[in-house]
Amino acid sequence: MTGWTGNILRINLSSRSYKKETYDEAFAQKWVGGRGFSMKILWDELKPGTDPLGPDNKLIVSLGPIAGVPAPNTGKTVVAARSPLTGGYADGNLGSHVTSQLRKAGYDIVIFEGIFDKPGYVYIEDDKVTFFSAQEVWGKGTYATLDWLYAKYGRGAGILTIGQGGENKALFSVVRSLEGRAGGRPGIGAVMGSKLLKAIVVKGTKEIPMANPDEYKKLGATDLKKVGALDKESGWSKQGTDGILAWCNEVAALPVRNMRETHHKNAWMLDGERVDAARVATYGCPNCTMRCGITVLDKEGHESELDYENIGMLGSNLDIWDLAQVASLNYLCDEYGLDTISSGSVLGFYADAIDRGAIKGDFRWGDAERAKELMRLISHRDGEIGNLLADGTRKMAQQIGQNSGRYAMHVKGLEISAYNCKYIPGMALAFGVAPIGGHHKESWVISFELKQTSRDSYGREKAQKVIDLQRIRGGLFEFIVSCRFPWVELGWPLENYAIYFNKATGLNWALDDFWKVADRIYALMNGFWLREYPNWDRSMHYPPMCWFDPSNADKEGPIAGKILELAKYEKLLDEYHDIRGYDNRGIPTKRTFQALGLSEEMKQLEKYAALK
Ligand code: PTT
Ligand code: SF4
């Protein structure tokens, strides 16, 4: 086997011990890497009902066959565990030097088990693992922790860390790396915190295995240049991800005031032009020539790395239009290690519930200073309010009651990202069926819907498009482990990824082979949900109910009076299930499990729930 290291590092934090294990070519080809590896390991090794914040949950860091190799945008790392926020399988994908350092240390997978007896961090250097105290930085934010570790190991070391949010188990805590990289939205940072694991540091000196290393280096260098040139030509990274904000406002897809509205006259104050004009520095993930990390100065003078999702959820969604204040909230998310999307959703929901009289409180939309204080309360789980908000919108709605669940903007417990789909049926479906909850990373069909179909149609082609993009975004890029932006933003051909994969592994796969792996992983992700929740029903694939509520339709603007229709959505969901070979609950049928090579997993699942 080449292309994969074939090695797993298993670290037990309770006994401070570790061992090297191997995996074979059949496992490698069946699951490929990243999300595929993590999903299968969590399926095999977690008992149903495992407490996500207990010692038996496992934290997995996983890479794929092109992760860290010299090719465009391959500096990404997957972190995964059972989610404390949703209860399902969860992962995130973040830029980090961990990618290349871990592969150079000789591993594609690290499994963290157990729990430290006191706060610590783990240092992996080639074959050796050392356990250190983290008392000095426990209670500190991610920036101070990163500086502390850089001083010891240098800036080129691979480092993943958590902030106070993860330490205090706020359920939407992320893992952080580099200047402004963050991943693991459904609470992977809280899982790390529950293990008293403040950081993971990696250094490696070996060669990353590749079938044709010399050819690869040449091709990689050429393609990195080509992607860089394409980016320059298109101008994409000038505004980066926030380039889309003005368009979202124009087409009425912007989150405004807990997604009550879809556009706003002040949107220009947060758009890509403003971000570019305020830029103080530019950062990027390793192996990237389209560096999209734009930092601006926040109200307090910190550098803060802004993306569209962060601006949409911490800005327009909270009715805050001062870019420096939005940057402050974003900085606090990075410092405390909280997810920006969920933080913006939680704060927006809290303001909404207060506004509707469902709960008493002193937070109003537009109040940036109080929002900053609430971020501190959340990350420290300080008092009743800190604890209420740190549990995310689903649990908040259960606590608040009064029908507030209708405007809690989550799917399966994960807060939806910054696209307001009250009148975008295909994207509402993409959120509804996303197997980690409300995340746009799985499928993003808005431009297809608006440009190539009619906005108000619920036709089968929309379900098909959701699936096509799931196979690429939630599949390919998550299991070969590479940033999707060259493809999605610059049109870098997908066929190139088959070339990178084949050159690394010596195999001869075509894109269809990747789609089968993607479908297999999705089937097991859904199987994982059913194993945890045997009473699972199709309503778990619904977007928030306020998107079907005529009284929630915009009063003016491009989609005035328009709203999704539940009966039509049900039909679209049926189409999705039908194409995927899932039953009407959204669970793969026995035939689908078998066709995807999951007969064993199917038998295991049948012990817990009936399959059709
Ligand atoms: C991702 C999610 C996103 S998606 C954003 S902005 W985006 C938010 N960023 C956060 C942040 O920053 N700080 C923080 N404390 N929390 C944050 N939460 C939010 O997390 C990210 C880029 C982006 S920017 C996107 S779309 C693409 N995502 C990719 C993906 O998911 N897979 C993949 N193969 N390639 C991707 N490329 C792009 O990467 P999660 P990053 Mg993040 C300040 O991980 O959990 O999936 O959440 O990875 O290295 O920061 O790069 O408009
Ligand atoms: Fe990272 Fe942006 Fe480059 Fe993707 S395009 S690898 S997110 S810097």
Side-chain angles (χ1 to χ4, degrees), residues 4 89 97 116 137 148 164 166 184 188 308 315 450 454 466 551:
W4 290 275
Y89 166 85
H97 289 305
F116 268 141
V137 282
W148 186 70
Q164 298 92 334
I188 307 297
Y308 166 69
L450 269 55
S454 133
V466 168
S551 72

Side-chain angles (χ1 to χ4, degrees), residues 242-456:
D242 197 41
I244 202 171
L245 188 140
W247 185 75
C248 285
N249 186 54
E250 190 188 311
V251 302
L254 194 70
V256 180
R257 300 200 304 154
N258 196 34
M259 301 208 179
R260 277 196 194 180
E261 289 108 39
T262 57
H263 56 279
H264 198 281
K265 64 178 175 18
N266 291 344
W268 65 273
M269 297 169 84
L270 303 180
D271 71 11
E273 255 181 82
R274 260 26 67 179
V275 169
D276 183 34
R279 176 195 306 255
V280 290
T282 307
Y283 299 96
C285 308
N287 285 0
C288 176
T289 47
M290 50 189 291
R291 297 152 55 84
C292 69
I294 304 174
T295 58
V296 306
L297 291 184
D298 75 4
K299 201 81 180 169
E300 291 74 28
H302 307 108
E303 258 189 71
S304 175
E305 190 174 314
L306 288 174
D307 273 299
Y308 166 69
E309 304 297 328
N310 311 348
I311 297 174
M313 296 309 290
L314 297 168
S316 56
N317 198 49
L318 301 181
D319 216 352
I320 296 173
W321 305 98
D322 176 344
L323 189 63
Q325 289 286 30
V326 177
S328 291
L329 292 171
N330 182 70
Y331 174 82
L332 290 177
C333 282
D334 281 353
E335 172 70 338
Y336 295 141
L338 294 171
D339 177 47
T340 50
I341 297 173
S342 292
S343 296
S345 186
V346 158
L347 293 176
F349 177 59
Y350 186 48
D352 207 353
I354 292 169
D355 192 53
R356 291 174 198 249
I359 184 173
K360 286 202 168 60
D362 61 358
F363 181 51
R364 298 279 179 278
W365 280 306
D367 186 349
E369 293 305 325
R370 179 65 181 151
K372 289 180 205 172
E373 174 58 10
L374 289 172
M375 298 293 309
R376 193 190 65 76
L377 298 183
I378 294 169
S379 61
H380 291 75
R381 279 197 177 269
D382 194 341
E384 213 177 302
I385 297 176
N387 269 300
L388 176 74
L389 272 58
D391 278 345
T393 50
R394 181 170 64 179
K395 284 198 180 154
M396 282 172 76
Q398 284 158 4
Q399 294 260 318
I400 293 170
Q402 315 236 22
N403 226 2
S404 58
R406 292 180 71 81
Y407 54 91
M409 305 308 290
H410 70 85
V411 169
K412 304 182 184 74
L414 180 66
E415 288 73 20
I416 57 181
S417 359
Y419 305 98
N420 194 345
C421 300
K422 59 164 87 168
Y423 190 52
I424 315 180
M427 190 61 211
L429 177 73
F431 276 133
V433 297
I436 63 165
H439 202 318
H440 63 291
K441 79 191 268 177
E442 309 293 332
S443 193
W444 191 88
V445 296
I446 304 185
S447 64
F448 166 80
E449 275 200 275
L450 269 55
K451 292 176 187 163
Q452 292 178 46
T453 69
S454 133
R455 187 162 182 164
D456 59 3

Side-chain angles (χ1 to χ4, degrees), residues 35 73 75-79 91-96 143 172-188 236 240-242 244 284-286 292 304-311 314 329-343 414 417-419 436 439-442 472-486 488-489:
R35 170 175 269 190
N73 307 45
K76 292 272 189 179
T77 296
V78 169
V79 287
D91 62 20
N93 192 320
L94 73 160
S96 175
Y143 286 106
F172 44 92
S173 300
V174 287
V175 176
R176 283 262 295 107
S177 198
L178 298 172
E179 297 81 9
R181 307 280 127 191
R185 292 195 51 215
I188 307 297
W236 177 75
T241 53
D242 197 41
I244 202 171
C285 308
C292 69
S304 175
E305 190 174 314
L306 288 174
D307 273 299
Y308 166 69
E309 304 297 328
N310 311 348
I311 297 174
L314 297 168
L329 292 171
N330 182 70
Y331 174 82
L332 290 177
C333 282
D334 281 353
E335 172 70 338
Y336 295 141
L338 294 171
D339 177 47
T340 50
I341 297 173
S342 292
S343 296
L414 180 66
S417 359
Y419 305 98
I436 63 165
H439 202 318
H440 63 291
K441 79 191 268 177
E442 309 293 332
I472 300 169
R473 296 167 66 109
L476 178 71
F477 285 107
E478 299 307 312
F479 64 69
I480 56 168
V481 189
S482 190
C483 175
R484 66 171 179 264
F485 279 171
V488 81
E489 304 296 352

Side-chain angles (χ1 to χ4, degrees), residues 499-511:
I499 295 173
Y500 303 145
F501 173 85
N502 290 334
K503 279 214 186 306
T505 59
L507 297 169
N508 188 23
W509 283 25
L511 286 176

